[in-house]
């Protein structure tokens, strides 16, 4: 099945409403000022890149290659590391935003630069998580990502729990997963499968 299925292209309307309920917090880049984002629990946060002259043998918990891949991904995607708003620049990003915008406008909503920033931030964050998890993405990865993501935390009221929280997460996660099929297509199928397992088809 094509990962770019229309059911996953949901409107950002709910996300916009939720954002309004959180005092219109400016949407951040998926990267913090130091280029770091929330790390999965399986990756030690004190890992360091070996200094020149040190042994280059790979230990089981060595994550320097993961961080190198992440940095390369940031460069390829031209993701700003200063917290400035995200704008589609690569062909894949532009295709994602064009399709998402068309869908939102078909629903009678107005597309804004905030929507573009949010969509790109969500997708970029998912792609970063896939890299940090060595491209092992499943339902547990998705649940952990949603539970620890600063973006989801800003968009969904903290006191929302249970089924209501799941329903609030679903359209936001849908946009994230749809964007991942463009911005990190090698991980797209895994994100789609995880989404379907967690939230249904």
């Amino acid at each position: 099945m094509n990962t770019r299925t229309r059911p996953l292209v949901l409107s950002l309307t709910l996300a916009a409403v939720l954002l309004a309920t959180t005092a219109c917090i400016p949407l951040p880049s998926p990267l913090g000022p130091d280029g770091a984002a929330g790390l999965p629990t399986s990756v030690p946060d004190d890992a360091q890149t070996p200094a020149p002259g040190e042994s280059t043998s790979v230990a089981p918990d060595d994550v320097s290659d993961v961080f190198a891949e992440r940095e390369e991904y940031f460069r390829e995607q031209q993701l700003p590391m200063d917290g400035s708003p995200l704008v589609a620049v690569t062909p894949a990003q532009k295709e994602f935003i064009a399709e998402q915008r068309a869908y939102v406008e078909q629903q009678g909503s107005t597309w804004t630069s905030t929507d573009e920033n949010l969509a790109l931030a969500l997708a970029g964050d998912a792609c970063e998580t896939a890299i940090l998890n060595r491209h092992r993405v499943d339902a547990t990865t998705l649940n952990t990502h949603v539970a620890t993501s600063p973006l989801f935390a800003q968009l969904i009221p903290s006191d929302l729990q249970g089924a209501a929280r799941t329903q609030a997460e679903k359209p936001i996660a849908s946009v994230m997963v749809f964007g991942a099929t463009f911005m990190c297509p090698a991980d797209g199928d895994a994100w789609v499968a995880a989404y379907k397992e967690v939230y249904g088809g």
Side-chain angles (χ1 to χ4, degrees):
M1 174 182 282
N2 190 327
T3 59
R4 296 175 185 174
T5 52
R6 180 53 58 188
L8 287 177
V9 192
L10 298 180
S11 171
L12 288 174
T13 301
L14 177 59
V17 170
L18 290 171
L19 182 61
T21 67
T22 56
C24 296
I25 300 170
L27 292 172
S29 160
L31 315 177
D34 60 353
L39 299 178
T41 55
S42 60
V43 178
D45 58 10
D46 60 347
Q48 299 290 328
T49 301
E54 288 186 6
S55 171
T56 57
S57 60
V58 179
D61 60 349
D62 181 25
V63 294
S64 59
D65 59 328
V66 171
F67 290 118
E69 182 183 353
R70 182 184 69 167
E71 294 306 312
E72 179 59 26
Y73 177 77
F74 292 162
R75 284 191 293 272
E76 289 175 355
Q77 294 294 318
Q78 302 174 49
L79 298 174
M81 302 180 76
D82 59 1
S84 57
L86 303 181
V87 178
V89 291
T90 69
Q93 291 171 8
K94 290 178 179 179
E95 185 180 359
F96 163 45
I97 292 303
E99 291 197 23
Q100 186 64 40
R101 177 176 184 164
Y103 180 76
V104 168
E105 291 178 343
Q106 285 170 8
Q107 308 310 304
S109 298
T110 301
W111 181 263
T112 68
S113 59
T114 298
D115 294 330
E116 181 169 347
N117 178 63
L118 172 61
L120 291 169
L122 287 166
D125 211 22
C127 293
E128 180 185 13
T129 291
I131 292 169
L132 293 174
N133 280 285
R134 299 184 185 275
H135 304 283
R136 293 188 292 265
V137 174
D138 57 19
T140 299
T141 310
L142 177 58
N143 281 325
T144 301
H145 177 77
V146 170
T148 60
S149 166
L151 287 170
F152 279 81
Q154 288 182 357
L155 293 169
I156 300 174
S158 59
D159 59 349
L160 203 60
Q161 299 298 325
R165 183 173 188 85
T166 299
Q167 285 304 112
E169 291 172 356
K170 185 174 181 178
I172 301 169
S174 174
V175 173
M176 176 187 79
V177 169
F178 184 65
T181 67
F182 292 88
M183 291 176 62
C184 49
D187 299 308
D189 286 342
W191 278 115
V192 170
Y195 174 89
K196 289 181 177 179
E197 183 175 343
V198 172
Y199 298 108

